[in-house]
Amino acid sequence: MAGSRSVLVLTNPHDVTADVVLRLLAERRVPVVRLDPGVDLHAGASLTVTFRTGDQRGALRTASRELDLDHVRSVWTRRPSPYEGPSEQHGQNRRFAAEQSFWGAGGVLASLPGAHYVNHPWDNRAAEFKPVQLSTARRCGLLVPSTVMTDDVEEARRFVASSHGPVVYKPLWNSPYRVNGQPHSVWVREVNGSEITDAVSVCPHLFQVKVDKAFDVRVTGVGGRLIGVRIDSPDLDWRRRQGLMTCTPIEVPEPVARAVVTYLTELRLTYGAFDFAVTAGGDWYFLECNPNGQWAWQPAEATSAIARALADQLEKGPDT
């Protein structure tokens, strides 16, 4: 049976970002069990939990480990694979197995008594909704660009026409999309009124006044620690051509820092990756917060600080 103070890491086997933190935990002699539940539970691993009045017990068994689920120190919800069911099954049988795995195994792994979640999977999902992000940021005191989300084409056109300056379109979710069979990313881009067609009525669209930015900033929050990186890029959306951007450390202004910590607290997040557009006058405009954003692409100093902060969170476990 793995140690009673193990860290459970939920991620896929190709997640090299997780490896950065796992090396730190190994150096600290913190026991770790790594699991990709959507795949491993169809490939030899097993999960059992028993509920009784006044008692709950569970065990995770893999080819080499057995973990007592009642005494997990922390759970790191990193990048687990989707629950897709066993590959040897097809059609509705595979869908049935996938859904039972999600609601069963996923429910067990999200309800481990006394574990510290970074982040809890349900909190991750709730915090991924962009309307929730904008509403929370506004309440926490962050500057938010004027934004409309609508499926009414006339409302969209009125917003563009009445805005004092350019407007951009943003997808509400990074849905997989293909053009001529090839993966295609939908980037943030400027739009004008003539481009807004009746297609808007098919689903909600998000339009936002473009911030006249001097540069972007990524603020990574881990607990109460904030790591800021300035991003200079020739693109409106710096993710599009990351090879052209430059990153340098930057201090987060105290009012922004307070609001970021409040945001994390309100949405029950231990970790969050915040994106800001900063004007020449020094105004920091909140764009979004990814509750499970990648971070190992940042400069070595920032990457090391984030990895240490995550390792600290996972090592300490729940607050006592």
Side-chain angles (χ1 to χ4, degrees):
M1 182 76 71
S4 62
R5 297 283 291 166
S6 294
V7 171
L8 178 59
V9 179
L10 306 177
T11 198
N12 67 80
H14 310 294
D15 183 9
V16 295
T17 297
D19 295 338
V20 179
V21 176
L22 297 191
R23 284 193 290 269
L24 290 176
L25 292 175
E27 292 171 3
R28 301 178 186 187
R29 300 186 180 278
V30 176
V32 172
V33 175
R34 182 169 180 161
L35 179 73
D36 191 9
V39 175
D40 294 345
L41 293 175
H42 299 302
S46 67
L47 184 66
T48 301
V49 64
T50 303
F51 303 96
R52 295 186 181 90
T53 301
D55 183 46
Q56 174 180 335
R57 298 190 181 279
L60 168 68
R61 297 177 178 87
T62 69
S64 60
R65 308 289 296 278
E66 183 171 338
L67 175 64
D68 184 344
L69 294 179
D70 308 319
H71 300 288
V72 172
R73 180 192 310 219
S74 299
V75 179
W76 187 17
T77 311
R78 249 299 294 173
R79 293 293 173 99
S81 302
Y83 288 87
E84 296 182 339
S87 58
E88 65 271 16
Q89 297 290 329
H90 303 282
Q92 67 176 2
N93 288 340
R94 187 173 186 182
R95 289 194 300 273
F96 180 86
E99 291 178 356
Q100 296 302 306
S101 295
F102 172 78
W103 292 101
V108 169
L109 296 172
S111 56
L112 301 184
H116 175 45
Y117 284 86
V118 184
N119 296 308
H120 193 285
W122 299 341
D123 293 333
N124 265 351
R125 173 58 70 181
E128 286 174 335
F129 289 91
K130 280 189 168 58
V132 172
Q133 295 177 18
L134 292 166
S135 178
T136 304
R138 182 190 59 79
R139 289 196 307 274
C140 292
L142 292 168
L143 296 177
V144 175
S146 295
T147 305
V148 67
M149 189 198 77
T150 185
D151 57 4
D152 186 317
V153 62
E154 294 305 324
E155 289 289 346
R157 287 171 177 159
R158 275 194 289 272
F159 179 78
V160 173
S162 63
S163 296
H164 300 291
V167 169
V168 300
Y169 163 76
K170 296 182 177 182
L172 289 157
W173 180 254
N174 291 324
S175 302
Y177 199 85
R178 290 180 175 269
V179 175
N180 297 324
Q182 298 300 312
H184 180 77
S185 296
V186 182
W187 304 106
V188 178
R189 71 175 187 89
E190 272 192 51
V191 294
N192 56 53
S194 64
E195 294 178 282
I196 297 176
T197 69
D198 290 341
V200 167
S201 65
V202 172
C203 62
H205 287 61
L206 189 149
F207 301 97
Q208 190 171 76
V209 170
K210 179 184 176 184
V211 177
D212 185 15
K213 65 182 180 181
F215 53 88
D216 291 280
V217 171
R218 163 62 63 87
V219 176
T220 306
V222 186
R225 301 190 204 179
L226 303 182
I227 298 95
V229 170
R230 169 175 169 158
I231 302 170
D232 289 278
S233 168
D235 295 325
L236 172 63
D237 190 334
W238 54 263
R239 299 170 302 172
R240 185 172 185 177
R241 297 184 294 175
Q242 293 190 31
L244 299 181
M245 70 183 187
T246 58
C247 300
T248 51
I250 190 172
E251 289 293 323
V252 182
E254 183 58 31
V256 175
R258 287 197 305 271
V260 165
V261 171
T262 302
Y263 182 109
L264 291 170
T265 301
E266 181 161 331
L267 292 185
R268 300 186 298 185
L269 301 174
T270 298
Y271 173 92
F274 294 77
D275 288 326
F276 291 91
V278 183
T279 67
D283 292 325
W284 287 49
Y285 279 89
F286 171 90
L287 300 179
E288 65 178 5
C289 173
N290 186 336
N292 203 8
Q294 296 282 24
W295 48 268
W297 53 267
Q298 300 182 49
E301 178 183 344
T303 294
S304 178
I306 296 166
R308 289 195 307 272
L310 284 166
D312 290 346
Q313 286 288 324
L314 296 169
E315 182 180 13
K316 81 177 182 66
D319 294 327
T320 56

